[in-house]
Amino acid sequence: MDISVWIPWFITALSVGVACVSAGHALIYKRDPRSATLWVLVISLLPLGGSVLYVLFGINRVHRRARRLRGTDGSEITVPADGGEVSLTPISSHQGLSHLVETVSGLPLTADNSVRPLFGGAQAYPCMLDAIARARYSVVLSSYIFDRTGIGKDFIEALDDANRRGVQVRVLIDDVHVRLVRTSACGALKLPVASFNPPIIPARLYAANLRNHRKILVVDGSVGFTGGMNIHRPCWCPDAPHKEWRDLHFCVEGPVVAHLAQVFARDWFETVNENIEEDFWGATASPVPGGTALARGIEAGPDETTDRIRWTFMGALSAARQSVRIWTPYFAPDQAILAALGTAALRGVEVDVLIPATCNHALVQWAARAHYWQVLEHGARIFERPGPFDHSKLMIVDGQWICMGSANWDARSLRLNFELNVEVIDAALAAGLEAEFLAVRSISAPVTAEDMRARPLPLKLRDGAARLFTPIV
């Protein structure tokens, strides 16, 4: 028997068999039907190659050591006291929404918090640096991007100085920035620093898609910063403020700081296998009274915390009675969220979405515009802000309920990235943020259904093709 005759048949049979197994796995386990469809198509066209790509990038294999450390309820992670939960009787109009968030997050709504918005690097960075300079016991910092140039140099100096003073410092940077960007601060820091979830080729190549997008700074367990702002040179342009990226960050004090610390502690243990002990946070790690905000952290990621922020967004859209303000740099929601936006608008809720006219990722902007018509057709409104890129992330419901943090309105944030948002209920804070939103909306260009219909066919096809790739992994 001539073996060479059977080799092609064997390879063909092997390819078909592997393709059937891979396609079957995608059909059963991919949550998004568009993602499953696209993977099945890729596997069908390239049976062996498509199967390899699916095994490397299409399967979520995240198993966190932190889950094993804390058991099922997080009790073994040592963090500052969170102050316990509160009653929602004074704000019963949002009791159902906060009950939903408590159910999905597993954390209580805490009282006596102070939440202060910081607009742009000019406000946020000096405040963060001042907090680091005042640190007596500990500083933890997690950032998706941490440049060693520009404002990053000031952070490196502040962190190194705190470390020399005897303050315990821990810094966590996402591995994509550490590995692929030459300006990463990782190598410049002379203190405990680690990169999150490095993909070790080929064993963990799938990890390249699972990024830590959180932004957390906690000082002495008593003051925290979170929001959308990286330590990134484009956000700090004192010599050319007209070129500076817009962004939104928050300074928080009170019991909710413990929620930020808890998320960092889990991520740090997952990365370096070091459990942060209770005395790490210092004697000042206790709730600071006097704030008026109710607040709660919402940890989300592609592990056991999946879909938490997605459920929060959908719950907020369902609970809204008068208005929904959405401020996001990337807007490519799935069909369920598009339906929720349309349903809210059809109920008479004023739904406004504010997006930058100029995006730093062209593919994402093309995909976003492919969704516009589905948002507009039921009465929701879209506004594109002119000028430099706007990286702000914010949701306000009925001028009272706020959701802020690191998550965008796209598949990457809602399904792939590790994110941290914070639910806040504070009418005064919401009023100030809504006033800022309305001021920006007034200088932004409204997008109409007629605008979308009038776009040239090549642009419509380009945007539609870009939309196909938003749920692929």
Side-chain angles (χ1 to χ4, degrees):
M1 178 184 297
D2 188 355
I3 297 179
S4 62
V5 174
W6 293 97
I7 290 177
W9 288 101
F10 174 77
I11 293 175
T12 301
L14 178 64
S15 300
V16 171
V18 171
C20 288
V21 172
S22 301
H25 190 281
L27 288 172
I28 294 171
Y29 293 106
K30 297 306 290 184
R31 292 172 178 262
D32 190 324
R34 291 183 301 159
S35 177
T37 300
L38 197 52
W39 275 117
V40 170
L41 180 61
V42 170
I43 293 167
S44 300
L45 294 175
L46 300 168
L48 199 55
S51 298
V52 171
L53 290 173
Y54 178 72
V55 169
L56 291 176
F57 296 106
I59 302 175
N60 182 1
R61 303 184 190 83
V62 179
H63 298 289
R64 307 191 72 193
R65 290 190 300 255
R67 185 196 303 183
R68 295 196 296 271
L69 173 74
R70 69 179 186 267
T72 59
D73 62 359
S75 59
E76 295 182 40
I77 295 288
T78 52
V79 296
D82 65 12
E85 56 183 300
V86 298
S87 170
L88 275 176
T89 303
I91 48 166
S92 58
S93 62
H94 292 95
Q95 188 167 7
L97 174 55
S98 280
H99 177 74
L100 179 151
V101 180
E102 179 170 350
T103 301
V104 301
S105 70
L107 291 174
L109 191 66
T110 64
D112 301 323
N113 296 286
S114 169
V115 181
R116 179 160 54 101
L118 303 167
F119 295 95
Q123 290 188 16
Y125 293 146
C127 192
M128 296 166 72
L129 289 168
D130 180 66
I132 295 171
R134 294 171 180 269
R136 298 175 58 196
Y137 302 100
S138 64
V139 175
V140 298
L141 172 65
S142 178
S143 187
Y144 181 62
I145 297 173
F146 188 171
D147 289 334
R148 68 167 181 262
T149 58
I151 190 64
K153 291 192 291 186
D154 294 338
F155 274 88
I156 292 171
E157 291 174 4
L159 291 167
D160 282 338
D161 182 64
N163 188 53
R164 287 191 293 269
R165 296 197 313 268
V167 175
Q168 297 192 77
V169 181
R170 302 290 186 272
V171 176
L172 187 61
I173 310 172
D174 187 75
D175 184 74
V176 165
H177 188 253
V178 172
R179 187 179 297 267
L180 300 181
V181 180
R182 290 183 296 175
T183 59
S184 172
C186 189
L189 289 162
K190 301 177 178 61
L191 46 82
V193 58
S195 59
F196 181 87
N197 205 25
I200 304 171
I201 298 174
R204 296 181 66 242
L205 188 58
Y206 65 87
N209 244 337
L210 309 174
R211 310 305 345 140
N212 190 337
H213 195 239
R214 295 165 180 154
K215 290 87 178 175
I216 300 170
L217 172 64
V218 176
V219 176
D220 291 341
S222 60
V223 59
F225 296 84
T226 193
M229 189 166 294
N230 295 290
I231 303 172
H232 198 20
R233 188 165 188 168
C235 297
W236 179 256
C237 303
D239 297 330
H242 61 285
K243 296 181 179 179
E244 190 170 285
W245 283 9
R246 288 75 169 256
D247 214 329
L248 180 58
H249 219 55
F250 292 84
C251 175
V252 298
E253 294 179 274
V256 77
V257 175
H259 296 178
L260 275 62
Q262 182 179 24
V263 174
F264 181 91
R266 292 173 181 170
D267 288 344
W268 185 256
F269 180 82
E270 163 68 13
T271 304
V272 303
N273 203 28
E274 177 192 8
N275 187 18
I276 293 178
E277 302 296 338
E278 186 173 3
D279 60 0
F280 173 90
W281 304 103
T284 62
S286 58
V288 179
T292 60
L294 308 178
R296 163 181 22 232
I298 309 171
E299 178 187 5
D303 55 358
E304 74 277 9
T305 63
T306 186
D307 281 339
R308 286 179 175 178
I309 292 176
R310 184 172 180 273
W311 286 329
T312 298
F313 285 169
M314 293 186 68
L317 291 169
S318 298
R321 298 182 178 183
Q322 288 88 35
S323 63
V324 173
R325 316 296 188 192
I326 298 169
W327 200 342
T328 180
Y330 310 117
F331 184 71
D334 60 25
Q335 204 60 41
I337 292 182
L338 287 169
L341 288 164
T343 301
L346 288 170
R347 288 191 292 108
V349 177
E350 187 176 80
V351 179
D352 289 344
V353 182
L354 185 59
I355 308 170
T358 303
C359 184
N360 65 331
H361 296 300
L363 185 67
V364 177
Q365 187 168 41
W366 299 343
R369 286 177 174 161
H371 290 95
Y372 280 7
W373 68 272
Q374 296 184 76
V375 178
L376 298 169
E377 68 176 345
H378 296 306
R381 300 185 296 185
I382 297 174
F383 299 84
E384 291 189 339
R385 182 181 189 176
F389 179 53
D390 189 338
H391 194 248
S392 306
K393 310 161 196 291
L394 181 68
M395 183 181 192
I396 310 170
V397 174
D398 294 342
Q400 186 178 57
W401 184 92
I402 302 162
C403 189
M404 55 84 169
S406 64
N408 303 305
W409 286 67
D410 62 8
R412 175 158 294 283
S413 271
L414 301 181
R415 292 176 48 227
L416 295 175
N417 287 343
F418 294 87
E419 304 281 2
L420 174 65
N421 272 31
V422 178
E423 173 194 22
V424 182
I425 301 175
D426 186 322
L429 174 64
L433 290 171
E434 186 159 33
E436 183 69 22
F437 180 96
L438 295 176
V440 175
R441 190 190 69 179
S442 70
I443 62 170
S444 302
V447 180
T448 66
E450 291 74 18
D451 293 335
M452 292 294 99
R453 286 193 291 268
R455 301 184 77 224
L457 180 60
L459 294 185
K460 292 180 181 179
L461 292 173
R462 178 201 66 187
D463 296 348
R467 183 181 61 163
L468 292 177
F469 291 92
T470 56
I472 190 169
V473 285

